[in-house]
Structure formats: C-alpha cells, structure tokens
Amino acid sequence: MPSLLLLPGDGIGPEVTAEVEALIETLRARHGLVLDVAVEAFGGASIDAHGVPLTDAAVARAKASSAVLMGAVGGPQWAGVARHLRPEAGLLRLRTEMGVFANLRPALCFAPLADASALKRHVVEGLDILFVRELTGGVYFGTPRGIEDLPDGSGQRGFDTQVYTTAEIERVARVAFTLARSRRNRVASLEKSNVMESGLLWRQVVSALHAREFADVALEHMYADNAAMQLVRAPQQFDVLLTDNLFGDVLSDLAAALTGSIGLLPSAALGVDGSPGLYEPIHGSAPDIAGKGIANPLAAILSFEMALRWSLGRADLADAVMAAVRHVLDSGLRTPDLGGTATTAQMGAAVRAAVG
Ligand code: IPM
Ligand code: MG
C-alpha cells in the first residue's frame, strides 16, 4: 500500500499538517485514496523527545515510505543547540539520506491574490514559474568548512566550500529540462560564472547537456544577481529557473514574495526515479504565530498535492485538490497572512468541502 510519513516538526508545522491529515481522511472516505499514514517527531520536537533532530528510525521509515511530508522545523528554543544537533541539521540530513537532489519550488500567483503581492498587479498576474534548485550539494555540504584561529592571533577565519561535480550538475539540469518540456519549454540557468569556478563548470555542463539531449528547449544562461533583479522587474520572462543550492534558497524566497504570501508555496524534493519524494511548505516554523491557529495551511495542502502527483501516482486527486484550493481562494476566504480573518481550521475545512 502507498505510504506517507508525516513529519509535523515545530512551530506552525503541526497545525498545518493536521489539515493535511484531515484532507487525507476526506480523500480516503470519498475519493478512493488508499494511503497508509505514519508520523514521526522531527526537528526541535525530536530534540526534546530523543536528543537528536532526526532519529535513525525516522530516517529508515522515510526511506521506506512512498513519500514524506514535513511541516516546518526550528524555533528560538533550539537556537543555542550545537550546530550538528540543530533542527536545520535534521532537515539537511533527511535531504541527504533520501538523496533528493532536485528541489521543485513553483511560484504561482493565484488570480484573486494578485493584489496581495508586493509588486503591481500587472507584473505578477498569471505568474507561473518553477525553480529547480539543486538540494544535496554545493556550499551547504562542501568541505573543508569551519571557523579557525588565525596563527598570528589577530582573529579567526570562517570558511565554506562551494563544490559541484559534472554528475551533480547534470542530474539536476536534466530534471529542469525535462520539466520545461511539459511547460513553456524554457530554462534559465543561474550562476556566477563571472567570478566562481564552480559557476563556470555549471555553465559548461548545462550547455553540453543541452546540446546533447535537450536542444529543443530554449536555454538562457544568466548571472544570479541579474536574475534577482529580473525577478522583481519582469518575473513573467521566466519559465523554469535552474539554480545551485544557495542561489536557489535565496531566490526562491524572493519569488515567494511575488505571489502574495509565503504561506501559499509548496515544494517537492525528488531523487532518482522511484525513490520517495520529500514534500515541504517553503514557509518556516513561524514561531511568532505558532499555537494561535491562524497559520495558512494552503502551502502544506499544496505540498500534499505535489506528493499525490509526483510520488503517489494520483494526479487525478492532485487536480481535485488544486481545483478545491482555487475555489476556496476565489470565494474570498483568507487567513491573516493574506489580510483575512479565517483560521487554519476554517481554511482546511473549506478545502475539504470544496473537494466534495
Ligand atoms: C529552505 C530553508 C532551509 C535551507 C533551512 C531551514 C536549512 O531555508 O528549505 O529553503 O536553507 O535549505
Ligand atoms: Mg530557504
């Protein structure tokens, strides 16, 4: 039986994943969804319960599932914990262990929300772009890294290593090109090949792969800093944006602001064909509103929509969930992040009602 591992995590994570669980119940009862659901502690919740942000048992369970859906990790309570035990370290370990190297982050501007964007309506109306961010390499994982004392006693030196191999670049670029073919057939590959060796290799490998296997897709190379400017100036020029781990982290947050609220954006992290995907709303744990029941559950619900599509073989139900979310937003219901007064529970209930 297909299985989903839920990792509610910290902050608003448990509140928004509770709405996903309720939606799964509805889909089981009325739409023939067959899905086994298990839950494990993650992040700070796991530190409190087990002393580590992710247990070996949770990792084993994640790898054995069809898909993993997480809420969010982190919070001020765990800010003082040693780096390798921090909630974020648990997330990085999970990504590595699952081998989910391609992070899909769609930024979609729903028509009734165009006025909630930081940009003018005409700039973002109808926006539909997709980041494909490399997720298990680059400066996040490169070695050597550390902070060391300078021999002359004048201070310290902090260092990280940005590193990419041909194979790492190729496999994520292949995902971007393949997805572009089912969209508007355009890829913008972002790097800093003007200053970074890894950026130069990135550009060369993407170009070679393009010439070899994807000449039908329109490819453009762009410096990442210019892409940041283009994203706020004229985001509609993009279709698929291919990035390394760090540029993708920064620019996908920027893209989130274009759509009105980070509370709306889902993501999928995929590995080799047939391996389980990792799905997460891209908002964080939002400690400032945690426990108040006002978090927007739509990013978590849309992350589950991506899981239905990419890991659970139920594109039909994914379409139904997407249609329900559109219907609810069209009806005017809004959580406070979008200027409304609806609670997390009201929003979740509305989506379930719209699914039918
Ligand atoms: C993200 C987050 C993570 C990242 C953190 C929490 C480790 O910012 O998913 O974008 O930097 O990848
Ligand atoms: Mg981020």
Side-chain angles (χ1 to χ4, degrees):
M1 185 190 314
S3 56
L4 179 74
L5 176 64
L6 270 182
L7 301 171
D10 308 318
I12 62 172
E15 299 168 46
V16 296
T17 52
E19 298 307 319
V20 173
E21 275 196 273
L23 178 62
I24 289 171
E25 267 318 307
T26 300
L27 295 175
R28 272 197 194 122
R30 298 199 230 131
H31 295 272
L33 175 66
V34 177
L35 185 63
D36 185 48
V37 178
V39 181
E40 291 275 354
F42 187 36
S46 176
I47 294 174
D48 293 349
H50 308 291
V52 288
L54 184 69
T55 63
D56 293 341
V59 170
R61 212 161 190 180
K63 288 183 180 172
S65 303
S66 317
V68 178
L69 180 78
M70 59 166 276
V73 289
Q77 306 93 297
W78 304 284
V81 176
R83 177 183 297 280
H84 69 288
L85 290 176
R86 289 183 55 158
E88 290 83 356
L91 176 54
L92 296 184
R93 177 175 175 212
L94 185 64
R95 289 173 177 168
T96 307
E97 295 262 10
M98 292 181 71
V100 286
F101 60 84
N103 187 201
L104 279 43
R105 297 192 161 190
L108 198 68
C109 185
F110 291 94
L113 299 182
D115 290 319
S117 170
L119 301 188
K120 295 195 180 72
R121 168 177 274 275
H122 74 267
V123 178
V124 293
E125 200 164 24
L127 182 74
D128 177 6
I129 61 180
L130 175 68
F131 277 88
V132 176
R133 167 193 177 193
E134 200 291 325
L135 199 61
T136 52
V139 75
Y140 274 57
F141 297 96
T143 52
R145 56 185 290 155
I147 299 178
E148 62 187 22
D149 294 332
L150 288 172
D152 65 2
S154 66
Q156 290 178 300
R157 168 177 179 267
F159 52 101
D160 296 274
T161 301
Q162 163 81 340
V163 54
Y164 273 109
T165 64
T166 306
E168 283 175 316
I169 300 167
E170 251 183 31
R171 66 183 181 177
V172 71
R174 187 170 279 114
V175 171
F177 284 127
T178 304
L179 288 169
R181 279 182 175 153
S182 63
R183 296 170 48 93
R184 298 189 301 281
N185 214 31
R186 297 206 321 267
V187 171
S189 173
L190 316 183
E191 28 65 5
K192 285 284 289 178
S193 58
N194 50 347
V195 289
M196 295 167 72
E197 300 305 322
S198 57
L200 182 58
L201 182 70
W202 184 280
R203 185 178 286 223
Q204 289 167 349
V205 170
V206 171
S207 288
L209 178 70
H210 176 253
R212 230 171 36 240
E213 294 179 30
F214 296 97
D216 57 300
V217 181
L219 168 66
E220 174 185 23
H221 299 283
M222 196 181 270
Y223 297 139
D225 54 343
N226 181 27
M229 181 177 72
Q230 298 301 332
L231 275 166
V232 290
R233 202 185 62 83
Q236 312 251 18
Q237 69 186 280
F238 296 112
D239 179 17
V240 174
L241 298 106
L242 169 65
T243 74
D244 75 0
N245 205 342
L246 184 60
F247 292 140
D249 179 46
V250 174
L251 294 174
S252 64
D253 262 34
L254 184 156
L258 304 179
T259 68
S261 169
I262 198 167
L264 290 172
L265 292 197
S267 75
L270 308 176
V272 295
D273 280 351
S275 65
L278 170 63
Y279 298 85
E280 43 173 311
I282 85 162
H283 59 65
S285 56
D288 52 324
I289 59 164
K292 296 189 180 160
I294 56 168
N296 189 343
L298 292 183
I301 287 171
L302 290 171
S303 296
F304 179 62
E305 183 262 359
M306 293 187 88
L308 285 167
R309 199 178 294 283
W310 298 102
S311 289
L312 301 174
R314 293 303 302 263
D316 58 327
L317 294 183
D319 289 344
V321 170
M322 181 55 99
V325 167
R326 285 187 189 280
H327 177 84
V328 169
L329 289 173
D330 284 342
S331 78
L333 197 68
R334 304 272 187 273
T335 38
D337 53 307
L338 291 168
T341 55
T343 63
T344 309
Q346 284 167 341
M347 195 55 128
V351 173
R352 295 195 292 280
V355 156

